[in-house]
Amino acid sequence: MPAVRVLAAALLTGAALLAPAGAALAAGPSPKPGGSAAAPTEAGTAFRTATPVKLGQEATADASTGDYLYWSFPLDAGQRGTVRAKVALPPSASRHATSTWRIDVYDGLRRRQPCMYGVQAAPAPKESATLALSCTLRPVRTGADTWSDDPLPGTYYLRLTVVDLAQEDLGQPVRAQVQADAKDTGGAYAVDGALAAPLVPGITAARQTAAGTGPEDGWSGPWWSDRWIWTAAGGLLGGLAGIAGYRLTRGSGRTAPRA
């Protein structure tokens, strides 16, 4: 029947439109590693001196137990960031008790961001040689209400420190490895509105510009997301389905000949 053919064509058209969008969402623009630039080998000791790192780049630092270690990295709208830290602990023979380590992530306004999942804090028994921590953040939004603490585009800070330690173990040498990655979440988390500019504090912004640790393609525009693709495809499918339904319900439109 013609109506069946119209409906089949509508379904095929919708599948053709949605397949590339779905593939783009599944793949997403993967963050590129730091490239040829040397990976950082030190950490800052405060927000103002945080060491910038690129997404996908592994940074290291030698420090003393009890130090506060800071790194900064960029996150753009639509990205869900994950930070990982690994601590090489002092030899067990020189340690006196279990220690507890923790990572925290702050945005450009220095608001601590909660972890959706991951091991944010963990104890390191006396016999442990290493300790691994991780934190996956909420997706970054293009805009938010002034009273909310929603993550926004800009600079993010990673802080690593020990929060429970025997007094005798202070000052012992440790080595930290950290890495920040991001995954594109697509338009599912997009909202209306946008910031006038990313939350990049002045001093860190200058250091990021010098080190080239901002997004390689620049900060995203405020209006585009793949929700436009799904909205357009849904509207087209709805229109085609309406035509098909009309053809099915109106019948052949022919009348029986009069005697």
Side-chain angles (χ1 to χ4, degrees), residues 32-135:
K32 299 178 181 179
S36 59
T41 56
E42 61 179 12
T45 56
F47 286 105
R48 292 172 63 87
T49 60
T51 298
V53 296
K54 294 183 178 181
L55 293 177
Q57 188 178 53
E58 184 180 272
T60 58
D62 292 317
S64 299
T65 306
D67 289 345
Y68 283 83
L69 306 179
Y70 288 81
W71 295 266
S72 66
F73 58 95
L75 282 180
D76 207 352
Q79 291 183 326
R80 173 186 284 152
T82 297
V83 295
R84 297 178 177 85
K86 183 177 180 180
V87 183
L89 301 166
S92 59
S94 64
R95 286 148 53 198
H96 297 80
T98 297
S99 58
T100 302
W101 292 77
R102 179 184 176 93
I103 56 175
D104 291 290
V105 181
Y106 298 82
D107 66 6
L109 297 178
R110 300 182 185 179
R111 303 175 301 179
R112 190 172 69 84
Q113 294 295 315
C115 301
M116 293 183 64
Y117 48 86
V119 181
Q120 187 177 6
K126 184 176 179 294
E127 62 275 9
S128 299
T130 60
L131 177 70
L133 303 170
S134 67
C135 173

Side-chain angles (χ1 to χ4, degrees), residues 1 3 242-253:
M1 295 174 61
I243 294 173
Y246 173 74
R247 295 291 297 274
L248 283 171
T249 55
R250 74 169 186 151
S252 62

Side-chain angles (χ1 to χ4, degrees), residues 14-25:
L17 286 171
L18 295 179
L25 281 176

